[in-house]
Amino acid sequence: AASDGNYISDMLARHANTVSDAHDYSQVAQGYWSLRHTLLRQVGAAHAVGDGDGARRLQQLCMETNRKLLDAQEKMFVQSLRKCDNNVLQIDLHGFDERAAMRVFDDAVAFGRGKRFDYLCVITGRGQHSVGGVPKIRNALIAAARTGATPRRIEDRARLTRLLPHVRGRVAGLLLFQL
């Protein structure tokens, strides 16, 4: 389904006063992700011993932690949007699951086109923190680009480095799309 970019516009409005660095929010998101993972294991353990009330309490904590995780991810994402230069919209999808990352990507494409950006730089990471070390988000975006489901992917490393001089040749976890 085509996106109208409203998700990103709404996110920018919700976090208009966000002033911390994206790296700060990344660390907060990592903490919430770890806590959510621990809580999910505890929910399973509580169910295994027949403690339904304990499992429900832990599920509530898990849902609250998940809301905080999503908030931190949104703030991190908003900060990455503000670091745009050379008419390149840059988004960071670290910490997103594959489905959420694809949704944010679709919205970023619509948002970028609406704001007349020429390129979309997507930071996916190299997959080192994914299960099995497989870069799921990166692979999903590359596969979608091959089928024509996304804008054309630019594979020219020199152009990527020229458009984003701050990456200094470290492009393994980046993808560039022409809007």
mmCIF file of all heavy atoms in Angstrom, residues 29-82:
data_model
loop_
_atom_site.group_PDB
_atom_site.id
_atom_site.type_symbol
_atom_site.label_atom_id
_atom_site.label_comp_id
_atom_site.label_asym_id
_atom_site.label_seq_id
_atom_site.Cartn_x
_atom_site.Cartn_y
_atom_site.Cartn_z
ATOM 1 N N ALA A 29 16.450 3.177 23.888
ATOM 2 C CA ALA A 29 15.678 2.148 23.185
ATOM 3 C C ALA A 29 16.290 0.770 23.420
ATOM 4 O O ALA A 29 15.553 -0.203 23.646
ATOM 5 C CB ALA A 29 15.614 2.457 21.687
ATOM 6 N N GLN A 30 17.613 0.669 23.385
ATOM 7 C CA GLN A 30 18.275 -0.611 23.638
ATOM 8 C C GLN A 30 17.937 -1.134 25.030
ATOM 9 O O GLN A 30 17.703 -2.320 25.223
ATOM 10 C CB GLN A 30 19.789 -0.491 23.483
ATOM 11 C CG GLN A 30 20.284 -0.602 22.063
ATOM 12 C CD GLN A 30 20.026 -1.973 21.487
ATOM 13 O OE1 GLN A 30 18.908 -2.275 21.088
ATOM 14 N NE2 GLN A 30 21.030 -2.799 21.413
ATOM 15 N N GLY A 31 17.917 -0.227 26.019
ATOM 16 C CA GLY A 31 17.569 -0.626 27.386
ATOM 17 C C GLY A 31 16.145 -1.159 27.470
ATOM 18 O O GLY A 31 15.896 -2.195 28.093
ATOM 19 N N TYR A 32 15.205 -0.463 26.820
ATOM 20 C CA TYR A 32 13.812 -0.918 26.829
ATOM 21 C C TYR A 32 13.665 -2.233 26.065
ATOM 22 O O TYR A 32 12.884 -3.100 26.444
ATOM 23 C CB TYR A 32 12.873 0.141 26.252
ATOM 24 C CG TYR A 32 12.604 1.279 27.213
ATOM 25 C CD1 TYR A 32 12.755 2.595 26.806
ATOM 26 C CD2 TYR A 32 12.186 1.043 28.518
ATOM 27 C CE1 TYR A 32 12.501 3.643 27.680
ATOM 28 C CE2 TYR A 32 11.945 2.068 29.396
ATOM 29 C CZ TYR A 32 12.096 3.374 28.973
ATOM 30 O OH TYR A 32 11.857 4.396 29.834
ATOM 31 N N TRP A 33 14.406 -2.377 24.974
ATOM 32 C CA TRP A 33 14.337 -3.612 24.201
ATOM 33 C C TRP A 33 14.796 -4.783 25.069
ATOM 34 O O TRP A 33 14.150 -5.828 25.098
ATOM 35 C CB TRP A 33 15.202 -3.505 22.944
ATOM 36 C CG TRP A 33 15.054 -4.691 22.058
ATOM 37 C CD1 TRP A 33 14.142 -4.878 21.061
ATOM 38 C CD2 TRP A 33 15.829 -5.896 22.110
ATOM 39 N NE1 TRP A 33 14.303 -6.106 20.482
ATOM 40 C CE2 TRP A 33 15.332 -6.758 21.106
ATOM 41 C CE3 TRP A 33 16.893 -6.328 22.889
ATOM 42 C CZ2 TRP A 33 15.861 -8.027 20.878
ATOM 43 C CZ3 TRP A 33 17.414 -7.590 22.666
ATOM 44 C CH2 TRP A 33 16.897 -8.420 21.663
ATOM 45 N N SER A 34 15.886 -4.594 25.785
ATOM 46 C CA SER A 34 16.402 -5.662 26.658
ATOM 47 C C SER A 34 15.409 -5.987 27.766
ATOM 48 O O SER A 34 15.170 -7.162 28.080
ATOM 49 C CB SER A 34 17.740 -5.248 27.278
ATOM 50 O OG SER A 34 18.712 -5.108 26.289
ATOM 51 N N LEU A 35 14.823 -4.941 28.355
ATOM 52 C CA LEU A 35 13.836 -5.159 29.410
ATOM 53 C C LEU A 35 12.618 -5.902 28.875
ATOM 54 O O LEU A 35 12.125 -6.846 29.499
ATOM 55 C CB LEU A 35 13.413 -3.819 30.025
ATOM 56 C CG LEU A 35 12.335 -3.878 31.105
ATOM 57 C CD1 LEU A 35 12.769 -4.759 32.274
ATOM 58 C CD2 LEU A 35 12.003 -2.468 31.593
ATOM 59 N N ARG A 36 12.135 -5.515 27.700
ATOM 60 C CA ARG A 36 10.976 -6.192 27.104
ATOM 61 C C ARG A 36 11.288 -7.660 26.863
ATOM 62 O O ARG A 36 10.477 -8.536 27.153
ATOM 63 C CB ARG A 36 10.591 -5.504 25.791
ATOM 64 C CG ARG A 36 9.374 -6.147 25.122
ATOM 65 C CD ARG A 36 9.062 -5.526 23.806
ATOM 66 N NE ARG A 36 10.145 -5.820 22.870
ATOM 67 C CZ ARG A 36 10.136 -5.433 21.614
ATOM 68 N NH1 ARG A 36 9.154 -4.708 21.147
ATOM 69 N NH2 ARG A 36 11.137 -5.748 20.819
ATOM 70 N N HIS A 37 12.492 -7.937 26.363
ATOM 71 C CA HIS A 37 12.900 -9.316 26.102
ATOM 72 C C HIS A 37 12.895 -10.132 27.403
ATOM 73 O O HIS A 37 12.392 -11.256 27.449
ATOM 74 C CB HIS A 37 14.289 -9.318 25.452
ATOM 75 C CG HIS A 37 14.779 -10.652 25.061
ATOM 76 N ND1 HIS A 37 14.241 -11.366 24.012
ATOM 77 C CD2 HIS A 37 15.759 -11.421 25.583
ATOM 78 C CE1 HIS A 37 14.864 -12.521 23.916
ATOM 79 N NE2 HIS A 37 15.794 -12.583 24.848
ATOM 80 N N THR A 38 13.429 -9.562 28.469
ATOM 81 C CA THR A 38 13.454 -10.235 29.773
ATOM 82 C C THR A 38 12.036 -10.477 30.280
ATOM 83 O O THR A 38 11.710 -11.566 30.767
ATOM 84 C CB THR A 38 14.245 -9.387 30.793
ATOM 85 O OG1 THR A 38 15.583 -9.235 30.307
ATOM 86 C CG2 THR A 38 14.262 -10.038 32.160
ATOM 87 N N LEU A 39 11.181 -9.458 30.161
ATOM 88 C CA LEU A 39 9.796 -9.599 30.622
ATOM 89 C C LEU A 39 9.056 -10.691 29.854
ATOM 90 O O LEU A 39 8.290 -11.460 30.435
ATOM 91 C CB LEU A 39 9.048 -8.267 30.501
ATOM 92 C CG LEU A 39 9.448 -7.201 31.516
ATOM 93 C CD1 LEU A 39 8.843 -5.847 31.138
ATOM 94 C CD2 LEU A 39 9.024 -7.599 32.930
ATOM 95 N N LEU A 40 9.288 -10.767 28.551
ATOM 96 C CA LEU A 40 8.628 -11.810 27.759
ATOM 97 C C LEU A 40 9.053 -13.204 28.216
ATOM 98 O O LEU A 40 8.225 -14.120 28.279
ATOM 99 C CB LEU A 40 8.928 -11.619 26.269
ATOM 100 C CG LEU A 40 8.205 -10.456 25.603
ATOM 101 C CD1 LEU A 40 8.725 -10.231 24.194
ATOM 102 C CD2 LEU A 40 6.696 -10.693 25.587
ATOM 103 N N ARG A 41 10.319 -13.359 28.531
ATOM 104 C CA ARG A 41 10.790 -14.654 29.049
ATOM 105 C C ARG A 41 10.112 -14.962 30.388
ATOM 106 O O ARG A 41 9.730 -16.098 30.663
ATOM 107 C CB ARG A 41 12.303 -14.646 29.202
ATOM 108 C CG ARG A 41 13.040 -14.829 27.899
ATOM 109 C CD ARG A 41 14.492 -15.227 28.101
ATOM 110 N NE ARG A 41 15.095 -14.567 29.241
ATOM 111 C CZ ARG A 41 16.077 -13.677 29.183
ATOM 112 N NH1 ARG A 41 16.603 -13.354 28.041
ATOM 113 N NH2 ARG A 41 16.559 -13.124 30.267
ATOM 114 N N GLN A 42 9.970 -13.945 31.233
ATOM 115 C CA GLN A 42 9.341 -14.146 32.535
ATOM 116 C C GLN A 42 7.854 -14.472 32.398
ATOM 117 O O GLN A 42 7.318 -15.252 33.183
ATOM 118 C CB GLN A 42 9.546 -12.917 33.419
ATOM 119 C CG GLN A 42 10.986 -12.747 33.865
ATOM 120 C CD GLN A 42 11.207 -11.466 34.661
ATOM 121 O OE1 GLN A 42 10.367 -10.582 34.697
ATOM 122 N NE2 GLN A 42 12.379 -11.380 35.299
ATOM 123 N N VAL A 43 7.193 -13.864 31.413
ATOM 124 C CA VAL A 43 5.780 -14.194 31.160
ATOM 125 C C VAL A 43 5.666 -15.682 30.831
ATOM 126 O O VAL A 43 4.806 -16.389 31.370
ATOM 127 C CB VAL A 43 5.198 -13.334 30.007
ATOM 128 C CG1 VAL A 43 3.869 -13.892 29.528
ATOM 129 C CG2 VAL A 43 5.039 -11.886 30.438
ATOM 130 N N GLY A 44 6.554 -16.153 29.956
ATOM 131 C CA GLY A 44 6.549 -17.573 29.598
ATOM 132 C C GLY A 44 6.792 -18.469 30.794
ATOM 133 O O GLY A 44 6.123 -19.494 30.959
ATOM 134 N N ALA A 45 7.721 -18.058 31.655
ATOM 135 C CA ALA A 45 8.027 -18.851 32.849
ATOM 136 C C ALA A 45 6.836 -18.874 33.804
ATOM 137 O O ALA A 45 6.513 -19.913 34.391
ATOM 138 C CB ALA A 45 9.263 -18.296 33.547
ATOM 139 N N ALA A 46 6.168 -17.722 33.948
ATOM 140 C CA ALA A 46 5.003 -17.657 34.842
ATOM 141 C C ALA A 46 3.891 -18.567 34.325
ATOM 142 O O ALA A 46 3.238 -19.274 35.104
ATOM 143 C CB ALA A 46 4.511 -16.215 34.964
ATOM 144 N N HIS A 47 3.658 -18.553 33.026
ATOM 145 C CA HIS A 47 2.645 -19.444 32.444
ATOM 146 C C HIS A 47 3.029 -20.901 32.663
ATOM 147 O O HIS A 47 2.164 -21.735 32.957
ATOM 148 C CB HIS A 47 2.477 -19.177 30.942
ATOM 149 C CG HIS A 47 1.545 -18.054 30.640
ATOM 150 N ND1 HIS A 47 0.220 -18.049 30.987
ATOM 151 C CD2 HIS A 47 1.767 -16.867 29.998
ATOM 152 C CE1 HIS A 47 -0.348 -16.939 30.585
ATOM 153 N NE2 HIS A 47 0.573 -16.188 29.988
ATOM 154 N N ALA A 48 4.315 -21.205 32.522
ATOM 155 C CA ALA A 48 4.786 -22.587 32.647
ATOM 156 C C ALA A 48 4.523 -23.163 34.030
ATOM 157 O O ALA A 48 4.278 -24.359 34.170
ATOM 158 C CB ALA A 48 6.278 -22.673 32.317
ATOM 159 N N VAL A 49 4.559 -22.310 35.076
ATOM 160 C CA VAL A 49 4.319 -22.796 36.434
ATOM 161 C C VAL A 49 2.874 -22.567 36.878
ATOM 162 O O VAL A 49 2.542 -22.766 38.036
ATOM 163 C CB VAL A 49 5.303 -22.162 37.452
ATOM 164 C CG1 VAL A 49 6.730 -22.563 37.127
ATOM 165 C CG2 VAL A 49 5.133 -20.667 37.545
ATOM 166 N N GLY A 50 2.024 -22.113 35.940
ATOM 167 C CA GLY A 50 0.604 -21.945 36.248
ATOM 168 C C GLY A 50 0.258 -20.664 36.990
ATOM 169 O O GLY A 50 -0.804 -20.567 37.594
ATOM 170 N N ASP A 51 1.143 -19.680 36.968
ATOM 171 C CA ASP A 51 0.897 -18.405 37.652
ATOM 172 C C ASP A 51 0.270 -17.409 36.665
ATOM 173 O O ASP A 51 0.938 -16.521 36.139
ATOM 174 C CB ASP A 51 2.212 -17.856 38.225
ATOM 175 C CG ASP A 51 2.021 -16.572 39.021
ATOM 176 O OD1 ASP A 51 0.857 -16.156 39.225
ATOM 177 O OD2 ASP A 51 3.047 -15.989 39.434
ATOM 178 N N GLY A 52 -1.032 -17.564 36.438
ATOM 179 C CA GLY A 52 -1.742 -16.707 35.480
ATOM 180 C C GLY A 52 -1.761 -15.244 35.882
ATOM 181 O O GLY A 52 -1.603 -14.353 35.039
ATOM 182 N N ASP A 53 -1.971 -14.975 37.200
ATOM 183 C CA ASP A 53 -1.996 -13.577 37.663
ATOM 184 C C ASP A 53 -0.634 -12.914 37.472
ATOM 185 O O ASP A 53 -0.547 -11.769 37.018
ATOM 186 C CB ASP A 53 -2.394 -13.505 39.149
ATOM 187 C CG ASP A 53 -3.861 -13.848 39.365
ATOM 188 O OD1 ASP A 53 -4.647 -13.732 38.398
ATOM 189 O OD2 ASP A 53 -4.200 -14.232 40.498
ATOM 190 N N GLY A 54 0.419 -13.622 37.812
ATOM 191 C CA GLY A 54 1.766 -13.095 37.625
ATOM 192 C C GLY A 54 2.065 -12.848 36.154
ATOM 193 O O GLY A 54 2.665 -11.833 35.788
ATOM 194 N N ALA A 55 1.617 -13.768 35.305
ATOM 195 C CA ALA A 55 1.841 -13.614 33.866
ATOM 196 C C ALA A 55 1.118 -12.375 33.338
ATOM 197 O O ALA A 55 1.670 -11.622 32.532
ATOM 198 C CB ALA A 55 1.376 -14.863 33.119
ATOM 199 N N ARG A 56 -0.116 -12.126 33.826
ATOM 200 C CA ARG A 56 -0.869 -10.939 33.384
ATOM 201 C C ARG A 56 -0.188 -9.654 33.831
ATOM 202 O O ARG A 56 -0.098 -8.692 33.067
ATOM 203 C CB ARG A 56 -2.307 -11.001 33.896
ATOM 204 C CG ARG A 56 -3.205 -11.882 33.038
ATOM 205 C CD ARG A 56 -4.659 -11.773 33.436
ATOM 206 N NE ARG A 56 -4.976 -12.435 34.705
ATOM 207 C CZ ARG A 56 -5.066 -13.747 34.855
ATOM 208 N NH1 ARG A 56 -4.856 -14.558 33.837
ATOM 209 N NH2 ARG A 56 -5.357 -14.277 36.020
ATOM 210 N N ARG A 57 0.311 -9.625 35.062
ATOM 211 C CA ARG A 57 1.037 -8.436 35.543
ATOM 212 C C ARG A 57 2.285 -8.183 34.700
ATOM 213 O O ARG A 57 2.585 -7.046 34.320
ATOM 214 C CB ARG A 57 1.402 -8.593 37.023
ATOM 215 C CG ARG A 57 0.234 -8.347 37.985
ATOM 216 C CD ARG A 57 0.697 -8.220 39.428
ATOM 217 N NE ARG A 57 1.480 -9.356 39.898
ATOM 218 C CZ ARG A 57 0.974 -10.487 40.391
ATOM 219 N NH1 ARG A 57 -0.327 -10.634 40.484
ATOM 220 N NH2 ARG A 57 1.764 -11.456 40.803
ATOM 221 N N LEU A 58 3.002 -9.252 34.414
ATOM 222 C CA LEU A 58 4.207 -9.118 33.593
ATOM 223 C C LEU A 58 3.871 -8.684 32.165
ATOM 224 O O LEU A 58 4.597 -7.894 31.565
ATOM 225 C CB LEU A 58 4.987 -10.438 33.569
ATOM 226 C CG LEU A 58 5.691 -10.800 34.878
ATOM 227 C CD1 LEU A 58 6.133 -12.269 34.863
ATOM 228 C CD2 LEU A 58 6.879 -9.880 35.107
ATOM 229 N N GLN A 59 2.735 -9.166 31.641
ATOM 230 C CA GLN A 59 2.313 -8.743 30.299
ATOM 231 C C GLN A 59 2.001 -7.246 30.289
ATOM 232 O O GLN A 59 2.322 -6.556 29.321
ATOM 233 C CB GLN A 59 1.098 -9.538 29.835
ATOM 234 C CG GLN A 59 1.446 -10.942 29.397
ATOM 235 C CD GLN A 59 0.215 -11.771 29.085
ATOM 236 O OE1 GLN A 59 -0.833 -11.634 29.718
ATOM 237 N NE2 GLN A 59 0.357 -12.662 28.112
ATOM 238 N N GLN A 60 1.385 -6.755 31.353
ATOM 239 C CA GLN A 60 1.102 -5.315 31.446
ATOM 240 C C GLN A 60 2.404 -4.514 31.452
ATOM 241 O O GLN A 60 2.526 -3.504 30.778
ATOM 242 C CB GLN A 60 0.288 -4.993 32.708
ATOM 243 C CG GLN A 60 -1.175 -5.303 32.602
ATOM 244 C CD GLN A 60 -1.833 -4.504 31.498
ATOM 245 O OE1 GLN A 60 -2.303 -5.070 30.540
ATOM 246 N NE2 GLN A 60 -1.862 -3.190 31.621
ATOM 247 N N LEU A 61 3.371 -4.973 32.260
ATOM 248 C CA LEU A 61 4.678 -4.313 32.285
ATOM 249 C C LEU A 61 5.343 -4.358 30.913
ATOM 250 O O LEU A 61 5.968 -3.390 30.473
ATOM 251 C CB LEU A 61 5.595 -4.985 33.313
ATOM 252 C CG LEU A 61 5.369 -4.630 34.775
ATOM 253 C CD1 LEU A 61 6.234 -5.516 35.672
ATOM 254 C CD2 LEU A 61 5.703 -3.167 35.012
ATOM 255 N N CYS A 62 5.187 -5.480 30.240
ATOM 256 C CA CYS A 62 5.769 -5.638 28.911
ATOM 257 C C CYS A 62 5.127 -4.651 27.927
ATOM 258 O O CYS A 62 5.819 -4.022 27.130
ATOM 259 C CB CYS A 62 5.572 -7.078 28.437
ATOM 260 S SG CYS A 62 6.506 -7.469 26.959
ATOM 261 N N MET A 63 3.813 -4.479 27.997
ATOM 262 C CA MET A 63 3.126 -3.536 27.107
ATOM 263 C C MET A 63 3.550 -2.099 27.410
ATOM 264 O O MET A 63 3.770 -1.302 26.496
ATOM 265 C CB MET A 63 1.608 -3.705 27.213
ATOM 266 C CG MET A 63 1.150 -4.993 26.578
ATOM 267 S SD MET A 63 -0.620 -5.408 26.599
ATOM 268 C CE MET A 63 -1.432 -4.115 27.407
ATOM 269 N N GLU A 64 3.691 -1.762 28.678
ATOM 270 C CA GLU A 64 4.159 -0.424 29.063
ATOM 271 C C GLU A 64 5.594 -0.195 28.575
ATOM 272 O O GLU A 64 5.925 0.872 28.049
ATOM 273 C CB GLU A 64 4.085 -0.276 30.580
ATOM 274 C CG GLU A 64 4.477 1.085 31.086
ATOM 275 C CD GLU A 64 4.392 1.166 32.604
ATOM 276 O OE1 GLU A 64 3.446 0.595 33.184
ATOM 277 O OE2 GLU A 64 5.288 1.795 33.192
ATOM 278 N N THR A 65 6.431 -1.199 28.735
ATOM 279 C CA THR A 65 7.820 -1.109 28.260
ATOM 280 C C THR A 65 7.847 -0.957 26.750
ATOM 281 O O THR A 65 8.639 -0.178 26.206
ATOM 282 C CB THR A 65 8.609 -2.358 28.695
ATOM 283 O OG1 THR A 65 8.574 -2.435 30.123
ATOM 284 C CG2 THR A 65 10.050 -2.298 28.225
ATOM 285 N N ASN A 66 6.973 -1.673 26.066
ATOM 286 C CA ASN A 66 6.916 -1.582 24.612
ATOM 287 C C ASN A 66 6.523 -0.162 24.170
ATOM 288 O O ASN A 66 7.084 0.357 23.205
ATOM 289 C CB ASN A 66 5.939 -2.608 24.050
ATOM 290 C CG ASN A 66 6.215 -2.904 22.606
ATOM 291 O OD1 ASN A 66 7.357 -3.135 22.227
ATOM 292 N ND2 ASN A 66 5.178 -2.875 21.790
ATOM 293 N N ARG A 67 5.579 0.468 24.869
ATOM 294 C CA ARG A 67 5.204 1.857 24.545
ATOM 295 C C ARG A 67 6.402 2.792 24.722
ATOM 296 O O ARG A 67 6.640 3.670 23.907
ATOM 297 C CB ARG A 67 4.023 2.314 25.411
ATOM 298 C CG ARG A 67 2.679 1.790 24.941
ATOM 299 C CD ARG A 67 1.527 2.460 25.668
ATOM 300 N NE ARG A 67 1.477 2.140 27.083
ATOM 301 C CZ ARG A 67 0.902 1.073 27.602
ATOM 302 N NH1 ARG A 67 0.310 0.201 26.826
ATOM 303 N NH2 ARG A 67 0.889 0.869 28.903
ATOM 304 N N LYS A 68 7.150 2.596 25.795
ATOM 305 C CA LYS A 68 8.333 3.427 26.037
ATOM 306 C C LYS A 68 9.404 3.172 24.975
ATOM 307 O O LYS A 68 10.082 4.099 24.530
ATOM 308 C CB LYS A 68 8.886 3.174 27.439
ATOM 309 C CG LYS A 68 7.973 3.708 28.529
ATOM 310 C CD LYS A 68 8.496 3.375 29.900
ATOM 311 C CE LYS A 68 7.567 3.894 30.974
ATOM 312 N NZ LYS A 68 8.051 3.566 32.317
ATOM 313 N N LEU A 69 9.545 1.913 24.574
ATOM 314 C CA LEU A 69 10.494 1.564 23.516
ATOM 315 C C LEU A 69 10.113 2.274 22.211
ATOM 316 O O LEU A 69 10.951 2.891 21.559
ATOM 317 C CB LEU A 69 10.520 0.048 23.306
ATOM 318 C CG LEU A 69 11.251 -0.459 22.058
ATOM 319 C CD1 LEU A 69 12.723 -0.099 22.108
ATOM 320 C CD2 LEU A 69 11.070 -1.965 21.926
ATOM 321 N N LEU A 70 8.847 2.208 21.849
ATOM 322 C CA LEU A 70 8.397 2.852 20.612
ATOM 323 C C LEU A 70 8.590 4.364 20.678
ATOM 324 O O LEU A 70 8.982 4.993 19.681
ATOM 325 C CB LEU A 70 6.934 2.500 20.326
ATOM 326 C CG LEU A 70 6.686 1.039 19.965
ATOM 327 C CD1 LEU A 70 5.194 0.768 19.848
ATOM 328 C CD2 LEU A 70 7.407 0.652 18.687
ATOM 329 N N ASP A 71 8.342 4.957 21.833
ATOM 330 C CA ASP A 71 8.556 6.393 21.995
ATOM 331 C C ASP A 71 10.022 6.750 21.798
ATOM 332 O O ASP A 71 10.365 7.701 21.089
ATOM 333 C CB ASP A 71 8.075 6.841 23.379
ATOM 334 C CG ASP A 71 8.182 8.342 23.566
ATOM 335 O OD1 ASP A 71 7.468 9.082 22.850
ATOM 336 O OD2 ASP A 71 8.993 8.780 24.406
ATOM 337 N N ALA A 72 10.916 5.971 22.398
ATOM 338 C CA ALA A 72 12.357 6.221 22.245
ATOM 339 C C ALA A 72 12.781 6.031 20.789
ATOM 340 O O ALA A 72 13.580 6.807 20.254
ATOM 341 C CB ALA A 72 13.162 5.299 23.162
ATOM 342 N N GLN A 73 12.224 5.008 20.115
ATOM 343 C CA GLN A 73 12.550 4.783 18.712
ATOM 344 C C GLN A 73 12.076 5.964 17.851
ATOM 345 O O GLN A 73 12.777 6.399 16.945
ATOM 346 C CB GLN A 73 11.919 3.498 18.200
ATOM 347 C CG GLN A 73 12.612 2.258 18.702
ATOM 348 C CD GLN A 73 11.911 0.997 18.254
ATOM 349 O OE1 GLN A 73 10.688 0.951 18.117
ATOM 350 N NE2 GLN A 73 12.681 -0.051 18.031
ATOM 351 N N GLU A 74 10.876 6.468 18.140
ATOM 352 C CA GLU A 74 10.372 7.612 17.384
ATOM 353 C C GLU A 74 11.261 8.832 17.590
ATOM 354 O O GLU A 74 11.586 9.537 16.635
ATOM 355 C CB GLU A 74 8.935 7.944 17.791
ATOM 356 C CG GLU A 74 7.917 6.988 17.232
ATOM 357 C CD GLU A 74 6.488 7.415 17.538
ATOM 358 O OE1 GLU A 74 6.284 8.454 18.209
ATOM 359 O OE2 GLU A 74 5.569 6.708 17.096
ATOM 360 N N LYS A 75 11.666 9.084 18.829
ATOM 361 C CA LYS A 75 12.528 10.242 19.102
ATOM 362 C C LYS A 75 13.874 10.079 18.405
ATOM 363 O O LYS A 75 14.413 11.035 17.842
ATOM 364 C CB LYS A 75 12.711 10.423 20.610
ATOM 365 C CG LYS A 75 11.455 10.948 21.277
ATOM 366 C CD LYS A 75 11.616 11.043 22.773
ATOM 367 C CE LYS A 75 10.332 11.574 23.409
ATOM 368 N NZ LYS A 75 10.412 11.581 24.859
ATOM 369 N N MET A 76 14.402 8.866 18.415
ATOM 370 C CA MET A 76 15.661 8.591 17.730
ATOM 371 C C MET A 76 15.495 8.849 16.235
ATOM 372 O O MET A 76 16.333 9.478 15.590
ATOM 373 C CB MET A 76 16.052 7.128 17.984
ATOM 374 C CG MET A 76 17.322 6.678 17.339
ATOM 375 S SD MET A 76 17.713 4.962 17.779
ATOM 376 C CE MET A 76 16.410 4.064 16.975
ATOM 377 N N PHE A 77 14.378 8.399 15.681
ATOM 378 C CA PHE A 77 14.102 8.567 14.262
ATOM 379 C C PHE A 77 13.955 10.044 13.900
ATOM 380 O O PHE A 77 14.496 10.508 12.903
ATOM 381 C CB PHE A 77 12.832 7.799 13.913
ATOM 382 C CG PHE A 77 12.463 7.871 12.469
ATOM 383 C CD1 PHE A 77 13.148 7.100 11.545
ATOM 384 C CD2 PHE A 77 11.458 8.704 12.037
ATOM 385 C CE1 PHE A 77 12.821 7.172 10.208
ATOM 386 C CE2 PHE A 77 11.126 8.774 10.707
ATOM 387 C CZ PHE A 77 11.810 7.996 9.788
ATOM 388 N N VAL A 78 13.238 10.801 14.729
ATOM 389 C CA VAL A 78 13.058 12.237 14.485
ATOM 390 C C VAL A 78 14.412 12.937 14.465
ATOM 391 O O VAL A 78 14.672 13.787 13.614
ATOM 392 C CB VAL A 78 12.108 12.860 15.532
ATOM 393 C CG1 VAL A 78 12.174 14.367 15.517
ATOM 394 C CG2 VAL A 78 10.683 12.384 15.284
ATOM 395 N N GLN A 79 15.297 12.570 15.384
ATOM 396 C CA GLN A 79 16.621 13.180 15.398
ATOM 397 C C GLN A 79 17.392 12.852 14.129
ATOM 398 O O GLN A 79 18.106 13.696 13.597
ATOM 399 C CB GLN A 79 17.417 12.734 16.631
ATOM 400 C CG GLN A 79 16.920 13.327 17.912
ATOM 401 C CD GLN A 79 16.903 14.843 17.875
ATOM 402 O OE1 GLN A 79 17.878 15.471 17.539
ATOM 403 N NE2 GLN A 79 15.778 15.424 18.226
ATOM 404 N N SER A 80 17.253 11.645 13.630
ATOM 405 C CA SER A 80 17.979 11.293 12.408
ATOM 406 C C SER A 80 17.432 12.067 11.213
ATOM 407 O O SER A 80 18.166 12.389 10.288
ATOM 408 C CB SER A 80 17.938 9.781 12.152
ATOM 409 O OG SER A 80 16.663 9.358 11.722
ATOM 410 N N LEU A 81 16.131 12.390 11.228
ATOM 411 C CA LEU A 81 15.550 13.174 10.132
ATOM 412 C C LEU A 81 16.117 14.580 10.083
ATOM 413 O O LEU A 81 16.182 15.197 9.037
ATOM 414 C CB LEU A 81 14.033 13.279 10.293
ATOM 415 C CG LEU A 81 13.209 12.111 9.798
ATOM 416 C CD1 LEU A 81 11.739 12.345 10.126
ATOM 417 C CD2 LEU A 81 13.382 11.899 8.318
ATOM 418 N N ARG A 82 16.518 15.097 11.207
ATOM 419 C CA ARG A 82 17.003 16.474 11.261
ATOM 420 C C ARG A 82 18.436 16.619 10.756
ATOM 421 O O ARG A 82 18.934 17.720 10.659
ATOM 422 C CB ARG A 82 16.906 16.992 12.689
ATOM 423 C CG ARG A 82 15.467 17.118 13.110
ATOM 424 C CD ARG A 82 15.347 17.754 14.451
ATOM 425 N NE ARG A 82 13.943 17.839 14.809
ATOM 426 C CZ ARG A 82 13.490 17.840 16.031
ATOM 427 N NH1 ARG A 82 14.334 17.767 17.034
ATOM 428 N NH2 ARG A 82 12.203 17.915 16.278
#
